[in-house]
Amino acid sequence: MNAINRYELYVLDEGEKSVEVTEDTKIPNAATIKIVKQDHTLANLLRSQLLGYPSVLFAGYKAPHPLQPHFLLKIQTDGSITPAAILEKACTDLIGMVATLESKFKREFTMNNVEGGVQEDAYGVPTSGAQWESGGSYVDLG
Amino acid sequence: MAHSPLIGSILERKPFSKPSAPSEATTKTGFPAVQHRSQRAFARARGQPQKRARDVPVVQSSNVVPPPRPVSTSPFEENDWRVQIEEENRRRVEAMTEEEREQEKVEIFEKFGPSIAEVLRRAREARESKQKKSEGEKVGTEPSSSNTPASAKTGGEEAGTSLSPPSSPSRPRSERTRSLTSVLRSSSPSPTSSSSTRPPSRSGRKIRFADVTPSDIHVYESAPPSPRKKALALPPPSASDDQVVSLGTWKPPAQFRSPVVPLAASLEAESEASQEVAGKVGALEEGTPEDIRRRFFPTAPANDPSLEWMRGTGTAEREPETESSTPTIRFDLTGTPIPAHLSNSLPTHLGLHHHAEGSHAGYTLEDIFLLSRSTVPAQRASMLGVLAKIAHKLARTSVDKKKGIPELVGQEIALRKRLLAAGAEAIGERASVGARAVELLWECTSQWDEDLKSVDGVETKDLDRGEALSSLPLDYLLPQIANALSVAELPHESLLQLLAVLHRLAQHSNSIATEIVKTKNLIPSIFQRFLLTPIPPTDDSPFPNPLALKFLCLLAASSRENASALVDPADSLLRFVITLPTSSPYPLPLATQLLSETLIFYATLASYGFYAHVTTTAQEYFLQISKYIRSADCQSSQLRGAWLRALEAWTVCARDPHRTTPSHEVLWSQVVGWGWAEDMLELRIQLNTSDEETWARLWSALAAFLEGAKVNGVRGGEEERALVLGALKDDFAFGTQKQVVELALKWAREALGKLSAGMRQGILASDVPSLRDVDRHAGTLASAMRLFLSCFSESPGDTLIAPPFNLPFGDLSSVCAVITTHPLWTSLYTPQSIPYGHLLCRPLSTLLASYLQLSRKIPGTSPDLWMAQGFAILCRLFPGDEAVGERTVADIAETITADFLRARGWSVPEDIWEKGGMDVIVPFLTQSLRAKGEQVIGPAWSTPQSIATATTQRLPPLSSLQPNDQRDYPLPLTKDWMFCPLDHLLKSGESEVFKNLPDSWNASEAEVVRATLLFVRVSQEVLRYHRLNDFLMSREEVAFGCMKVFMLEHGQQQDDSAEEVFRDTIVGRLMTELLAPFSASASAKTLKTPPPSIHTSDSIDVVAKRFLGNAVPFYQWYTDFVGLYDAISFAHPLFARLLLSPLSMRYPADYRKYLWADFNHVLRTIRTAPEDVVTGSIAEYLWPVETDAEVVGAYLRALVKGSLEGFVRLVAVHHIACNIWPDLGSVGEERTKKLLKAVLVQGGLEAIRDVVLYRQNREGTVVLPPACFEQPGKWRAQRLDFAGKSGEDVRERLTNLLEGKAN
C-alpha cells in the first residue's frame, strides 16, 4: 500500500519547520499558513475558532492530499490585526479553553466521586435545568 | 284413476293471444333436434337434460303464420297458460267436497312427504318474486326462468322420488349454479332447431326443407365465410315467393342478445329461493349426472371428485359471460379482429375454432403465436400469414385508428418484437412457410415505417423504439436470407420482400449494414438475383431491379469499409452503362432508372474516393451517355441529375489525385480532356425553369469543376472561370437561371412560412412535405452560391470588386436570416419530433454555411455583422460540416484583433494581445469541433479531404446529438461552446489538443482563460448588438462557464494564491462583465414576485451535464465547488456570487442543505449584496417558503451565530420569519412557537429585530433591506397577539419592538 509510515504522520523531518507563514502578495491582510504533521483535527478546530473573531474576514483550510500530513490554513483579517497574530491568539484561546475544560472535567469527576453522583440520565447529562437555556446553540427542528 | 287427481296430466291449451314460437317447442317434439356443431352438441347433451317425452307436441296450424317474436319475451305471455292452469285448478278445488279435499291432501302427503306444502309454497314465492323482478327490470328475461316452477309443479309426480331438500348444505354452490345455467340454456332456442320442428303436413302446401335453413345463412353473414362455402347453402327465399312457409325467424341465443342480467349478479341478488327452485329443477331433470347417481348408484357419494368431468361443462360454459366483460381480441384468418359478440356465434366451418378454447371463433394472439410454431407446415404457413396481416394493421394503429387495431394500442412495440421473432424463426423453412415468414418479416420491417423508405441519409435507430430491430438475431437471420436469395426457391415477390427487409435493416444502423456486407454470399446473391439477369431478358426471367441498386447505394453510404467491399462487384454494373437506354433490351423507363441508379452508386463510391478509375475504363461509354443526355432524346431529369452528380463526385476526386484510393485514379487533365465542363454548359440548353433540381446539380458540378480548376488549372483556373462565366453571366442577369433562383427564393419563403405557422412542439410527420420543399429550394440556392463563390480567384482578402454574376443578395440574406432564427432548430430535439428531422435540416445548414462564405465577400458586410452571423450559423451546423465550422471559427478568431476591438470602442488590456491574442485558443476551438469518436461523417458536398477521411456518409441518429448530453459529435454546437478551451484545461489529461499543440504554443493557463473569456465576451456583444438574441448564452450557461474558471484550481497542489487563475485581474474583470447582464441589478424584472413558474432556459444542472456527462452529477461538482471556496477563496466576491446560483427554491433542497447546513461557517464570508446575485428573479430564492426543517434550522443557526450579511441574511431572515409569522403564511403550529422562542433566546438583538420586523410582499415587488424591516401596518399588532400565545414573557420582549416603531 502507498500509505506512509504511521510515525511520519507526527514526527517532523530533519530540518522541517512545523509552521510556515506566507503573506499573500495579492490580497491585503491575508496569509497562507502551512502546518505540517497535522491533519483535519487541528485544522478544523483552528478554523472554527478563527471564524469566531469578528476581525477575521475569511478562514479556511485545505488538506491538499490525504496521504500528506500537512494542511494549508488561509486567513484574511480586516486589518486590525495580522493573520499571524490572530492565529496566535486563536491558539492561545484554544489552549485556554482546553485547559478550562480539563480542569472543569476533573473537578466534576472528583465531585462526582465524593457526592455519589448527581442525577444523570443514561448519557451522563444532568436532568435538571430548562431545555432552552442550557440547550445547544441552535434548535434542531427535525 | 278413480277420481280426478288434483294434479292432473297436461292437456293442450289454446294460447290466449300469440302462439308460442316454434323455437320455443323445439326440443319438445319428441325428436332429437338437428343440431349444428356450433351449438356444441356434445356439451349440450351433457349440460342440458333431455326433456322429450314429457312435453306435449305443439300443434300449430300452418295457416297462421306466426309473427316473429319480439326479441325479449315478456313474462306475461309466458304466464298466460300458467294463469289459466291456476284458474282451472282453483275451480276444480272449489268444486270438490270437503272429504275429497281431505283425501287428496293425505294422498299428496303420502306421496311427497309432509314438507311438500312448504316446498310448493316456496316455489310459488320464488316465482312471484322473480316475476316482480323481471317486470321491474324488463331485461331480456329467460322465457323459461319463470317457466321452471311450473314444470316443477307439473312434473311433480315423477319428481317425487328424487325430491331432495333443496337447500341441502351438501350441494356445493357450483352444482347449483350449474344446474341453473343449464336450465337457462335449455330454454334458449338453438338456431337450427327451428327447422327440426315438424310442421304439420297439409296437402297443397309446399314446404322447403334444408339441413341448413336460409335463416341460418343470415346469422353468419357478419363474418363472411369464403365465397365458395356460401354457394353451398341455399339462398334465402325471395319475398315474392308466397309458397314459402316461414319456419320462424332465427333469434340469437338469449345470452348474446342482451347479457341477461349478469348471471353472477343475479345469483347473488336473487335470494335463496330462485336457487332452490333451480336446484330442484335440475334434480328433476332426467339424465343429469346427479339424477343417474340417485337412481342407479344411490350409495355412491355425491360430488365424487373422480366424476367431476361429468358435469365439467358448468364452469366451462360460464366463461363466455365473464369473458365478454374483459374481451381478449380474437382474429380471423385475415387478421381482422372479430367483435366479441360475434366470436360466440360464428360457425365452426369457417376454420376459426382450431384452438384449445373451443367455444369461441377466432384466434387470440397467443393462439396464433403458438400455432405459428406448429409442425404442420400448412398450419404454420397460414398462421404466419395471419401474423403478417396483423402486423400490417398494427403498424398503422397509432397513425390511423380505422385501419389499425385500436384494441392493441400501446402494445405495438412489444408485439413487433414477438412478430419479428416469429418471422425470423421460420425464415429458414422452405416453400409456403418460408414465403409467409418472409412476408411477416417484411411487414414488420420495411412496411412498418412506410414514411421511412426514402430516408437513406441517416441512421434510423431512434425510430426503433423498444429496440425491436436490434433484437433480431442477425447472425442467424442474414445467412438464412443469403441462402434464400441464392437458392431462389421462393417466389419472386418473396425475394423482393427480402430485399426490402435488408434495405430496412441497413437503414437502421451502420453496424447492421456492415454485418450485411460481411455476411457470406449475401451481396453476390443479391447481384445474381436482382441485377445480373440474363441479357437479353427471356420470357420467364425477371428484369433487373433498381431497388437493389438503391440498396447497394445505402450500403456504400453507410461506411467506408462497406463501400470498399462493394468496389469489386461494381464492375458488373457497367452492363447498365454500356448500352444507352434507347437501345437497351429493357423498357426505356427501366433502363433509364437502372442507368441513373448505377451512376448514383458510382457517385457514392466516389465520395470515399473509390472506383474513380471507371471514368477511364469506360470512357467511351460515358462520352456516349453524355451525348445522349445532352440530346433532346433524354427527357429524364433523374438521369441528368444522376449524371451531374457522378461528374461532380469524380471532379472532386480529380482535384487532388492523392486523396483517392488508390491514388491517381482520375487525373485533372483527363477531366479537362473529356470536356465535362463544356458538356455541362451545353446541357443547360435543355433545361428550363421547372428543372430546379437539375439546375442545382448543374451549378454544383460546375462549381466543383471551378474549384478544381483553381488548384489545377493554369493561373488559378482563369480560363475555366472565363469560360463558365461567359456562358452563365447573362443568363443569371436576365435569363432562365435568374428566374430559377428567384422562384426558389419565393417558394422557400412560402414553405418556411407554412412551417413556422404549424410548428409548436416539434417537427411532426405532417411537416415533412413542407420541410422537403424548403430543402429542395435551399439546395438550389446553396448551389447557386457555391457556383458564385467558386468564380472568385483564390487571393486572400479579396473582397468583391465586381460580382462574377448577379444573385439577389438582399433576398438571399433575408431568407437565410429567417432560416437561422427559425423555430424548427429548437423543436428538432423535442420528444414529439420525427427522429430524422436533422436529415431534413441538413440542406438548410449547407445553405447557411455557403451563405456565410458569401456574406464575407459582400462589401456591405461589416466584420462584426459577419462575426455575428458566424456565431449564429455555427450553432446550426450538423455532423459532416466540421470542416466548415473549423474554417469559420478560425476566421472569426482571426478577426478579433486589438484593432477590431479598438475600432468598436472596447478597451481590452494589451496583455492579451502580447501573448498572441486569439491564437492561443484557436487549437482548442478547432479541435473541439472535430468528432471525438472514430466516425467521420462525410459532408453534403464532398471535398478532397472528406473523400480521404470520411468513414460514413450518413448522419448519426438524433439521439446521439441531443444538445444537453455529453456526445461524441461536437456538432450541433450548444450556445456555450466558446467555453470549450476551459473544458480542455479542466480535462487536460484526456484532451487531444495538448498532444497536438504546435511547438510555438507556450501560453499559460491564465492566458488561455483570458483569451477564452474575451472570445466569449466578444461573441455575446456582437450577437446582442445584431439582435441575434436566440444565440446568446443563458444565465445558467454563463454561470457554469465561470464556475469552470474557478474549478481550474480544484485539486491543484500549489499553495500560493498568486498562481490562482481567478485572481488574475483581467480574468476577474471579464467574468464580472460577462455576468453583469445576468445580475439582479441588471433589470427591474428580477424583483418581481411571485417567481416565474416556467423557465425558458435549461437549469444549471442540465447545462452542466453537457460537460460533466451522466456519470458525474452536478451536485458533486457543486460540493467540490463549495469545498474549494471554503479552502482557498479568501472570500472572493465573484466566487461567492457563483456559490448562490443553485440555492434558489427552483432547485432541490440538497444544495441549500449542503451549503447552509454542512458549510454553515462559510456563510459569514459570503457578503454578496442582493443586487449582485446572478439570478433572473430574487423572488425565486424567497418563495415558496422553505419547508425542510434541516435547512430552516441551518438558517437559524447561521443567523444567531454569526454576522450574516447581504443577500444570505435576507434569505435566512425571510425563511425564518415566514416560518414564524402567520401574516407571512406560517400555519402556526407548535414548531413555529418553538422557532420563535429559539430566535428570542439565542439570537442577538439584531437578529431578533430583523426576524420580528421583517415583512415581505408575496405579489408585486420584492422589498429589499432595509425597507423590508420598516413597513407599517396592522400586522404588527397581529404578530404581537400571536407572540402572546407563546407566553407573556415573549409578548413583553416584543412589545417594544413592534409597538415602538409602529408609530
Side-chain angles (χ1 to χ4, degrees):
Chain A
M1 298 295 277
N2 51 3
I4 54 170
N5 290 323
R6 187 80 51 94
Y7 70 88
E8 285 179 27
L9 292 174
Y10 51 86
V11 176
L12 283 173
D13 291 344
E14 204 65 33
E16 197 177 33
K17 290 184 176 160
S18 73
V19 180
E20 203 175 312
V21 181
T22 322
E23 295 277 336
D24 203 284
T25 46
K26 287 190 155 182
I27 308 152
N29 304 316
T32 306
I33 296 136
K34 184 180 181 185
I35 300 180
V36 294
K37 304 301 177 193
Q38 287 293 345
D39 59 9
H40 291 274
T41 314
L42 181 65
N44 200 12
L45 200 61
L46 279 175
R47 181 187 61 189
S48 35
Q49 182 67 29
L50 283 166
L51 282 167
Y53 302 125
S55 54
V56 171
L57 294 182
F58 180 87
Y61 74 90
K62 70 170 172 179
H65 196 280
L67 291 178
Q68 292 167 8
H70 73 273
F71 65 86
L72 299 167
L73 187 66
K74 304 217 172 202
I75 306 170
Q76 189 186 11
T77 63
D78 58 2
S80 57
I81 186 166
T82 63
I86 196 113
L87 178 66
E88 227 174 298
K89 181 167 155 22
C91 291
T92 319
D93 288 357
L94 274 175
I95 290 167
M97 191 204 281
V98 170
T100 323
L101 184 74
E102 192 185 9
S103 64
K104 267 188 182 172
F105 176 79
K106 279 186 174 155
R107 202 189 68 205
E108 292 293 325
F109 198 75
T110 41
M111 296 229 312
N112 188 29
N113 281 346
V114 169
E115 288 174 14
V118 281
Q119 277 205 320
E120 286 174 351
D121 66 10
Y123 301 100
V125 178
T127 46
S128 59
Q131 200 186 345
W132 290 113
E133 279 74 13
S134 72
S137 60
Y138 63 96
V139 219
D140 184 10
L141 287 159
Chain B
M1 288 190 193
H3 52 266
S4 61
L6 192 58
I7 299 170
S9 58
I10 300 157
L11 299 176
E12 182 188 345
R13 299 169 203 286
K14 275 185 189 153
F16 263 122
S17 47
K18 292 166 190 167
S20 57
S23 59
E24 210 35 41
T26 49
T27 52
K28 301 175 182 175
T29 54
F31 292 95
V34 173
Q35 283 181 335
H36 204 277
R37 278 187 58 203
S38 69
Q39 288 308 305
R40 305 180 300 281
F42 178 64
R44 254 165 55 104
R46 265 199 281 150
Q48 176 196 352
Q50 301 300 314
K51 288 204 268 173
R52 59 195 144 146
R54 223 161 296 149
D55 301 317
V56 179
V58 172
V59 180
Q60 196 173 357
S61 64
S62 56
N63 52 1
V64 178
V65 178
R69 289 177 63 94
V71 170
S72 75
T73 3
S74 142
F76 274 114
E77 293 157 32
E78 303 295 325
N79 286 340
D80 279 346
W81 55 271
R82 185 185 290 128
V83 172
Q84 206 183 342
I85 292 170
E86 248 176 17
E87 181 68 15
E88 219 163 288
N89 287 345
R90 199 176 46 79
R91 271 206 304 273
R92 181 175 297 176
V93 171
E94 262 170 4
M96 284 183 192
T97 64
E98 200 60 35
E99 290 97 317
E100 275 173 336
R101 280 182 204 163
E102 210 48 44
Q103 197 184 342
E104 286 288 354
K105 264 189 203 165
V106 172
E107 202 174 310
I108 289 171
F109 281 132
E110 262 175 18
K111 268 187 181 164
F112 297 112
S115 61
I116 181 65
E118 176 73 358
V119 168
L120 285 176
R121 193 179 54 78
R122 286 217 314 243
R124 186 192 174 91
E125 271 171 15
R127 188 177 65 230
E128 275 167 6
S129 71
K130 193 161 197 169
Q131 188 174 335
K132 241 182 253 164
K133 204 176 168 113
S134 54
E135 271 167 42
E137 290 182 6
K138 281 281 178 207
V139 238
T141 358
E142 296 302 315
S144 63
S145 62
S146 51
N147 204 337
T148 43
S151 71
K153 213 177 195 177
T154 51
E157 228 148 357
E158 286 87 349
T161 50
S162 61
L163 193 69
S164 67
S167 55
S168 146
S170 70
R171 297 190 84 182
R173 192 187 165 76
S174 68
E175 169 69 10
R176 269 184 284 166
T177 56
R178 201 254 330 148
S179 51
L180 178 58
T181 40
S182 66
V183 165
L184 293 181
R185 266 174 205 235
S186 69
S187 67
S188 56
S190 78
T192 48
S193 55
S194 59
S195 65
S196 71
T197 308
R198 186 172 54 169
S201 54
R202 289 270 179 93
S203 57
R205 295 280 171 199
K206 269 198 250 165
I207 295 172
R208 296 169 58 145
F209 278 92
D211 283 340
V212 181
T213 64
S215 50
D216 283 333
I217 311 297
H218 290 302
V219 177
Y220 308 130
E221 232 151 38
S222 57
S226 71
R228 257 174 298 148
K229 283 208 172 140
K230 188 158 189 169
L232 280 176
L234 285 174
S238 64
S240 58
D241 187 1
D242 57 350
Q243 298 289 298
V244 174
V245 173
S246 168
L247 297 172
T249 316
W250 182 85
K251 284 176 295 177
Q255 67 261 41
F256 308 133
R257 265 182 276 151
S258 59
V260 193
V261 195
L263 215 34
S266 71
L267 273 179
E268 299 307 325
E270 265 184 34
S271 75
E272 282 291 285
S274 76
Q275 291 172 23
E276 280 161 19
V277 171
K280 191 163 77 186
V281 171
L284 289 172
E285 301 294 350
E286 187 182 295
T288 57
E290 184 66 7
D291 182 42
I292 294 171
R293 186 187 70 79
R294 292 204 187 150
R295 257 179 225 261
F296 306 110
F297 306 100
T299 54
N303 301 316
D304 187 348
S306 61
L307 294 178
E308 183 80 35
W309 57 271
M310 290 181 73
R311 44 191 152 76
T313 51
T315 44
E317 287 200 4
R318 281 185 50 76
E319 260 173 42
E321 269 86 10
T322 51
E323 236 177 353
S324 60
S325 54
T326 52
T328 52
I329 321 154
R330 296 181 165 272
F331 295 92
D332 67 7
L333 295 177
T334 61
T336 324
I338 301 177
H341 64 276
L342 273 181
S343 80
N344 279 322
S345 58
L346 285 177
T348 47
H349 65 75
L350 300 176
L352 298 174
H353 286 79
H354 302 289
H355 50 79
E357 203 272 284
S359 58
H360 284 101
Y363 302 89
T364 61
L365 275 173
E366 298 308 316
D367 291 335
I368 303 176
F369 278 120
L370 183 74
L371 290 171
S372 72
R373 297 198 299 273
S374 167
T375 50
V376 182
Q379 198 170 31
R380 193 174 190 189
S382 60
M383 283 305 154
L384 287 170
V386 173
L387 282 182
K389 281 160 194 156
I390 292 175
H392 183 84
K393 293 200 173 77
L394 203 58
R396 280 140 198 86
T397 299
S398 58
V399 187
D400 185 355
K401 286 273 180 309
K402 276 179 201 154
K403 274 194 216 158
I405 309 171
E407 293 92 335
L408 292 178
V409 168
Q411 302 177 43
E412 293 101 328
I413 293 161
L415 281 177
R416 187 184 186 189
K417 244 184 200 171
R418 295 185 63 188
L419 291 167
L420 276 171
E425 201 183 348
I427 191 90
E429 302 293 326
R430 304 176 64 184
S432 62
V433 177
R436 296 279 176 241
V438 170
E439 191 186 349
L440 176 55
L441 275 184
W442 178 66
E443 286 287 1
C444 290
T445 52
S446 96
Q447 290 297 95
W448 194 278
D449 316 292
E450 271 180 313
D451 50 345
L452 208 63
K453 283 198 177 138
S454 56
V455 182
D456 281 354
V458 64
E459 291 178 71
T460 56
K461 241 181 235 167
D462 295 340
L463 206 70
D464 181 23
R465 297 201 180 87
E467 310 205 317
L469 288 185
S470 0
S471 72
L472 276 176
L474 288 179
D475 44 351
Y476 166 76
L477 191 63
L478 293 177
Q480 293 291 348
I481 293 179
N483 189 37
L485 285 174
S486 67
V487 178
E489 269 185 343
L490 297 173
H492 194 63
E493 292 76 46
S494 299
L495 296 182
L496 285 178
Q497 286 174 347
L498 274 183
L499 181 63
V501 169
L502 287 176
H503 188 268
R504 177 66 185 85
L505 288 178
Q507 277 181 326
H508 181 257
S509 76
N510 288 343
S511 57
I512 293 189
T514 310
E515 273 192 63
I516 290 176
V517 173
K518 277 186 184 157
T519 305
K520 208 180 149 199
N521 211 20
L522 185 53
I523 298 298
S525 319
I526 286 173
F527 270 92
Q528 202 58 44
R529 208 49 61 210
F530 300 110
L531 296 171
L532 307 182
T533 54
I535 299 180
T538 55
D539 284 344
D540 56 344
S541 71
F543 286 133
N545 196 327
L547 278 180
L549 285 168
K550 275 212 170 93
F551 173 60
L552 291 180
C553 282
L554 179 63
L555 290 182
S558 67
S559 84
R560 188 179 200 87
E561 52 172 326
N562 292 348
S564 73
L566 291 173
V567 165
D568 283 341
D571 277 334
S572 56
L573 298 179
L574 277 174
R575 56 163 53 200
F576 303 125
V577 175
I578 52 176
T579 44
L580 284 180
T582 41
S583 52
S584 156
Y586 310 118
L588 182 65
L590 178 65
T592 313
Q593 210 186 351
L594 286 171
L595 176 56
S596 15
E597 294 291 349
T598 310
L599 287 173
I600 290 173
F601 177 60
Y602 287 163
T604 313
L605 288 183
S607 63
Y608 299 103
F610 292 140
Y611 203 62
H613 65 81
V614 72
T615 48
T616 325
T617 46
Q619 50 180 319
E620 294 113 67
Y621 303 109
F622 283 123
L623 285 175
Q624 200 184 328
I625 290 172
S626 144
K627 207 168 167 190
Y628 168 70
I629 285 170
R630 277 177 286 137
S631 72
D633 294 345
C634 172
Q635 291 301 322
S636 163
S637 62
Q638 187 199 9
L639 179 56
R640 284 180 192 145
W643 169 242
L644 289 168
R645 192 171 153 186
L647 286 192
E648 181 193 333
W650 288 323
T651 315
V652 172
C653 287
R655 194 193 310 175
D656 186 349
H658 300 277
R659 303 280 182 168
T660 56
T661 319
S663 58
H664 295 99
E665 282 211 311
V666 56
L667 304 176
W668 188 255
S669 55
Q670 290 172 309
V671 171
V672 176
W674 289 321
W676 283 349
E678 289 80 2
D679 291 354
M680 287 189 264
L681 288 174
E682 206 174 309
L683 179 62
R684 151 182 82 94
I685 299 157
Q686 300 289 334
L687 303 179
N688 54 36
T689 45
S690 59
D691 297 319
E692 189 186 330
E693 279 169 89
T694 318
W695 278 117
R697 286 260 164 246
L698 177 65
W699 293 336
S700 205
L702 277 175
F705 175 72
L706 291 181
E707 282 160 12
K710 266 183 210 173
V711 182
N712 295 301
V714 185
R715 272 181 294 159
E718 230 168 63
E719 277 174 37
E720 287 87 345
R721 265 202 300 284
L723 172 78
V724 172
L725 279 179
L728 296 182
K729 191 165 187 172
D730 290 347
D731 204 32
F732 265 107
F734 316 105
T736 331
Q737 301 182 49
K738 179 176 187 250
Q739 286 175 25
V740 172
V741 172
E742 278 169 358
L743 283 176
L745 273 170
K746 189 173 140 235
W747 286 327
R749 219 175 260 146
E750 271 173 28
L752 278 172
K754 227 184 278 171
L755 268 182
S756 53
M759 198 163 294
R760 283 294 167 267
Q761 328 90 330
I763 301 177
L764 308 176
S766 53
D767 295 325
V768 171
S770 4
L771 202 48
R772 283 198 193 276
D773 279 351
V774 177
D775 284 355
R776 203 172 53 245
H777 306 310
T780 313
L781 297 176
S783 308
M785 284 196 249
R786 184 182 178 188
L787 181 59
F788 183 91
L789 288 167
S790 68
C791 290
F792 280 96
S793 59
E794 195 73 357
S795 51
D798 176 27
T799 49
L800 207 58
I801 302 147
F805 54 84
N806 270 330
L807 279 179
F809 299 112
D811 291 339
L812 276 176
S813 68
S814 72
V815 164
C816 288
V818 171
I819 293 178
T820 313
T821 53
H822 201 277
L824 72 86
W825 299 97
T826 42
S827 50
L828 201 58
Y829 302 103
T830 56
Q832 292 91 347
S833 288
I834 47 167
Y836 50 89
H838 55 312
L839 176 71
L840 301 174
C841 291
R842 209 178 174 191
L844 303 185
S845 60
T846 310
L847 170 66
L848 293 180
S850 42
Y851 172 72
L852 194 60
Q853 291 172 47
L854 178 71
S855 171
R856 216 177 177 200
K857 308 270 183 190
I858 302 177
T861 317
S862 64
D864 55 321
L865 173 61
W866 181 80
M867 202 188 288
Q869 288 172 345
F871 279 119
I873 287 173
L874 273 173
C875 293
R876 298 304 186 216
L877 298 181
F878 282 114
D881 303 332
E882 284 89 356
V884 180
E886 281 178 41
R887 200 165 58 229
T888 311
V889 167
D891 286 350
I892 290 176
E894 208 172 88
T895 318
I896 302 178
T897 58
D899 295 337
F900 171 81
L901 294 183
R902 218 172 288 130
R904 272 146 201 87
W906 298 334
S907 66
V908 170
E910 289 299 318
D911 289 2
I912 294 183
W913 310 118
E914 281 165 18
K915 298 290 180 186
M918 291 300 127
D919 292 347
V920 171
I921 54 167
V922 168
F924 297 100
L925 292 173
T926 52
Q927 174 70 35
S928 56
L929 283 170
R930 267 171 229 155
K932 290 190 194 91
E934 291 181 354
Q935 294 278 329
V936 182
I937 291 149
W941 290 331
S942 45
T943 61
Q945 290 77 34
S946 83
I947 63 173
T949 55
T951 59
T952 175
Q953 304 292 333
R954 300 209 292 166
L955 285 179
L958 193 61
S959 60
S960 62
L961 301 180
Q962 291 296 328
N964 285 332
D965 287 343
Q966 206 182 19
R967 314 168 267 173
D968 279 348
Y969 302 99
L971 295 173
L973 292 168
T974 50
K975 285 180 277 177
D976 60 347
W977 67 274
M978 294 88 123
F979 278 115
C980 64
L982 298 184
D983 301 355
H984 287 283
L985 289 181
L986 281 169
K987 298 183 176 175
S988 51
E990 36 188 275
S991 166
E992 283 292 312
V993 187
F994 287 101
K995 293 174 195 159
N996 305 324
L997 278 177
D999 294 338
S1000 57
W1001 192 90
N1002 63 345
S1004 70
E1005 213 172 40
E1007 283 153 12
V1008 173
V1009 175
R1010 283 179 199 167
T1012 309
L1013 290 175
L1014 180 64
F1015 188 68
V1016 175
R1017 173 117 172 78
V1018 170
S1019 77
Q1020 300 303 294
E1021 285 302 323
V1022 293
L1023 286 170
R1024 198 171 288 129
Y1025 182 73
H1026 291 287
R1027 305 248 163 78
L1028 289 164
N1029 290 337
D1030 287 354
F1031 298 92
L1032 287 175
M1033 284 189 223
S1034 70
R1035 175 175 293 105
E1036 286 78 11
E1037 283 164 343
V1038 173
F1040 187 70
C1042 292
M1043 278 179 154
K1044 284 179 191 167
V1045 175
F1046 288 96
M1047 283 300 268
L1048 287 173
E1049 306 310 320
H1050 179 66
Q1052 298 293 315
Q1053 292 284 334
Q1054 92 273 8
D1055 30 342
D1056 187 7
S1057 66
E1059 285 169 32
E1060 285 159 3
V1061 173
F1062 64 89
R1063 295 197 195 278
D1064 185 279
T1065 42
I1066 300 170
V1067 168
R1069 203 187 100 193
L1070 285 169
M1071 280 199 287
T1072 316
E1073 283 171 356
L1074 273 177
L1075 286 170
F1078 301 116
S1079 312
S1081 56
S1083 144
K1085 270 190 217 156
T1086 53
L1087 288 177
K1088 267 200 191 139
T1089 180
S1093 51
I1094 300 161
H1095 299 279
T1096 46
S1097 56
D1098 293 319
S1099 62
I1100 197 162
D1101 45 338
V1102 175
V1103 170
K1105 214 171 107 186
R1106 298 173 193 165
F1107 170 67
L1108 299 173
N1110 284 325
V1112 183
F1114 175 68
Y1115 182 75
Q1116 191 179 331
W1117 166 273
Y1118 186 69
T1119 55
D1120 288 348
F1121 192 67
V1122 172
L1124 195 68
Y1125 177 85
D1126 183 33
I1128 63 157
S1129 70
F1130 281 127
H1132 193 276
L1134 204 54
F1135 208 151
R1137 281 168 74 188
L1138 292 170
L1139 272 185
L1140 297 174
S1141 280
L1143 296 185
S1144 79
M1145 302 305 289
R1146 174 185 169 187
Y1147 295 102
D1150 304 85
Y1151 297 110
R1152 299 188 287 279
K1153 222 178 263 178
Y1154 190 74
L1155 186 64
W1156 282 91
D1158 297 355
F1159 279 79
N1160 200 283
H1161 56 266
V1162 308
L1163 282 158
R1164 59 172 297 226
T1165 66
I1166 302 175
R1167 302 181 188 90
T1168 311
E1171 319 51 88
D1172 289 339
V1173 180
V1174 183
T1175 181
S1177 162
I1178 295 266
E1180 224 165 48
Y1181 288 84
L1182 307 181
W1183 307 108
V1185 174
E1186 181 68 63
T1187 50
D1188 190 289
E1190 199 183 336
V1191 181
V1192 177
Y1195 287 150
L1196 178 63
R1197 177 155 46 126
L1199 189 65
V1200 300
K1201 227 173 90 179
S1203 45
L1204 283 190
E1205 272 178 54
F1207 185 68
V1208 285
R1209 186 175 184 86
L1210 172 69
V1211 170
V1213 168
H1214 170 86
H1215 287 289
I1216 293 172
C1218 285
N1219 268 299
I1220 293 179
W1221 302 118
D1223 56 316
L1224 287 172
S1226 161
V1227 278
E1229 300 160 358
E1230 191 56 33
R1231 217 177 85 187
T1232 66
K1233 287 179 189 163
K1234 215 167 140 190
L1235 192 62
L1236 176 60
K1237 271 194 167 176
V1239 173
L1240 293 181
V1241 171
Q1242 298 171 27
L1245 185 63
E1246 289 269 302
I1248 296 173
R1249 199 193 61 211
D1250 283 1
V1251 169
V1252 170
L1253 294 179
Y1254 180 78
R1255 174 89 179 148
Q1256 190 57 268
N1257 294 334
R1258 201 171 256 283
E1259 274 165 29
T1261 315
V1262 171
V1263 191
L1264 294 178
C1268 57
F1269 303 120
E1270 291 162 1
Q1271 294 181 64
K1274 275 188 194 165
W1275 53 271
R1276 291 174 182 247
Q1278 287 168 1
R1279 282 191 186 176
L1280 202 54
D1281 279 354
F1282 178 78
K1285 284 183 203 159
S1286 11
E1288 239 358 83
D1289 52 332
V1290 178
R1291 181 201 284 274
E1292 265 172 42
R1293 285 191 67 177
L1294 296 189
T1295 309
N1296 274 343
L1297 264 179
L1298 282 168
E1299 288 180 353
K1301 276 201 179 177
N1303 306 317

